[in-house]
Amino acid sequence: MDGQQYITLKDGTPMPKLGMGTWCLGDYRSERDKEIDALRAGLDAGIEMIDTAEMYGEGKSEKLVGEALRGYRRENLFLVSKVYPHNAGRARIYRSLEGSLKRLGTDYLDLYLLHWRGSVPLGETVECMEELVRSGKIRHWGVSNFDTSDMEELFQEESGANCAVNQVLYHLGSRGIEFDLMPWLGERGIPVMAYCPLAQAGALRKEIMENQVLRETASRYSITVMQLLLAFVMQQEGVAAIPRSGSREHVLENVEAGNIVLEPQDLQRISAQYPPPDRKQPLDIV
Ligand SMILES: NC(=O)c1ccc[n+]([C@@H]2O[C@H](COP(=O)([O-])OP(=O)(O)OC[C@H]3O[C@@H](n4cnc5c(N)ncnc54)[C@H](OP(=O)(O)O)[C@@H]3O)[C@@H](O)[C@H]2O)c1
């Protein structure tokens, strides 16, 4: 990358603006070498953040990431994992975290997220997360798939305001969070970590790949529509993105996209095709 881009967390820690997602990576043995090569291509090109979860392949993704990371300096990395909601209470979270750390081959996470809201009371999860921060096993904690009302409830809990990040679905074709969630988080210094920033290669918004305005705009910058989608997300203030790829070529394209600055008139043009919301929309999830 030309230069690393970071977002500053509330405690002053820099969090990379671009990371690599890993959902489905590690699922198939036959893809393993290719996927490790893709992750290492990203690390070698300067990507420092990797997002994973105990849920992905029931630990297979974390194991794959652990293997890809071998030989890289831990202090230069920003590792994110997530706990299943049913494991996010006093009875299980410590074992869950130990499992993630072991599979990743590290002794701490930079960020540990509650994957989505479940039946464990939020206050209990927060207490456990705070304890894990104190013990040094995680540096920060956050949430995922929390809408504005969930964030408000979280902030009612003691230490709930220590939440560092909210990871939610966000791409050009799904901009609902811009109406209320993004401003709410922004006012409180909580970055958004955008998942599915590529709309899952268009699978979440079928026509997006064929849109003529997007195609023309992308070709003027000599980039692909996927890179345009990523550049759009990366250009939002306080937003990090974690595109996933099992291909070295695509990872390197994503690194390039992180450096592209779209001109205001081009942002307007693509926004006219996929306008921001003019009213509250329920949080999009996959
Ligand atoms: N918190 C949550 O609930 C949640 C939910 C979903 C996802 N996530 C996280 O967010 C990450 C990203 O979301 P996602 O994996 O669902 O979707 P995504 O990143 O929007 O899209 C992934 C798809 O895009 C393709 N791709 C990647 N780079 C490309 C490029 N430059 N050109 C063309 N195709 C490209 C990949 O295929 P190739 O492998 O062939 O490149 C893959 O099919 C996940 O991996 C996961 O870490 C979190």
Side-chain angles (χ1 to χ4, degrees):
M1 269 184 277
D2 291 351
Q4 296 289 340
Q5 297 179 61
Y6 297 94
I7 302 177
T8 307
L9 298 179
K10 276 185 289 192
D11 69 350
T13 305
M15 179 178 82
K17 213 167 148 58
L18 180 65
M20 292 184 279
T22 61
W23 191 15
C24 307
L25 299 191
D27 281 0
Y28 300 104
R29 195 152 252 297
S30 57
E31 299 296 306
R32 221 181 147 70
D33 291 349
K34 188 170 164 274
E35 291 169 349
I36 288 177
D37 178 57
L39 290 172
R40 288 190 175 153
L43 294 167
D44 293 339
I47 302 183
E48 297 170 338
M49 181 162 73
I50 301 189
D51 174 79
T52 187
E54 64 173 343
M55 184 189 94
Y56 300 164
E58 297 301 326
K60 285 196 192 125
S61 282
E62 289 179 328
K63 259 192 154 155
L64 183 94
V65 171
E67 199 174 323
L69 291 181
R70 232 175 272 155
Y72 290 84
R73 289 170 73 91
R74 176 65 184 91
E75 62 271 31
N76 295 341
L77 301 168
F78 193 100
L79 296 183
V80 186
S81 194
K82 312 185 198 79
V83 60
Y84 264 126
H86 60 260
N87 287 340
R90 191 158 294 287
R92 293 169 186 246
I93 194 167
Y94 305 106
R95 204 173 338 138
S96 267
L97 179 68
E98 286 307 323
S100 291
L101 293 177
K102 191 162 174 225
R103 289 186 289 273
L104 287 164
T106 184
D107 50 11
Y108 71 94
L109 291 179
D110 294 279
L111 180 63
Y112 199 31
L113 303 176
L114 169 61
H115 207 148
W116 65 90
R117 266 190 92 163
S119 55
V120 173
L122 281 180
E124 183 178 335
T125 302
V126 172
E127 264 178 37
C128 297
M129 290 288 196
E130 288 285 312
E131 215 168 288
L132 289 169
V133 171
R134 281 193 297 275
S135 70
K137 298 219 176 247
I138 65 174
R139 296 271 158 95
H140 305 91
W141 64 267
V143 293
S144 179
N145 297 303
F146 269 44
D147 206 344
T148 314
S149 56
D150 301 308
M151 290 305 303
E152 280 165 348
E153 272 185 60
L154 178 66
F155 267 54
Q156 298 295 313
E157 301 296 338
E158 196 181 328
S159 306
N162 288 344
C163 171
V165 169
N166 185 8
Q167 185 182 110
V168 289
L169 187 153
Y170 180 57
H171 59 78
L172 179 65
S174 180
R175 301 178 62 173
I177 63 167
E178 287 178 34
F179 187 76
D180 58 337
L181 181 59
M182 226 189 226
W184 194 98
L185 294 168
E187 281 159 22
R188 290 158 184 83
I190 301 176
V192 165
M193 190 179 285
Y195 74 70
C196 301
L198 309 175
Q200 293 191 337
L204 299 178
R205 193 81 204 247
K206 290 270 187 306
E207 84 295 345
I208 214 163
M209 299 296 291
E210 309 305 324
N211 183 287
Q212 275 313 313
V213 173
L214 297 195
R215 286 183 157 208
E216 282 162 26
T217 309
S219 93
R220 254 183 300 110
Y221 286 84
S222 305
I223 57 174
T224 66
V225 170
M226 286 292 103
Q227 288 177 300
L228 180 70
L229 290 186
L230 185 54
F232 167 80
V233 171
M234 290 284 290
Q235 210 158 320
Q236 310 299 317
E237 210 187 309
V239 179
I242 46 167
R244 174 244 319 175
S245 178
S247 132
R248 160 180 283 269
E249 290 71 29
H250 286 168
V251 167
L252 296 177
E253 283 177 17
N254 295 342
V255 171
E256 262 178 45
N259 295 322
I260 288 159
V261 179
L262 301 170
E263 297 295 333
Q265 64 271 25
D266 291 316
L267 280 172
Q268 265 174 21
R269 218 169 277 138
I270 63 177
S271 266
Q273 300 294 303
Y274 296 96
D278 57 6
R279 63 181 70 93
K280 168 73 188 159
Q281 290 172 10
L283 188 64
D284 205 357
I285 54 169
V286 288

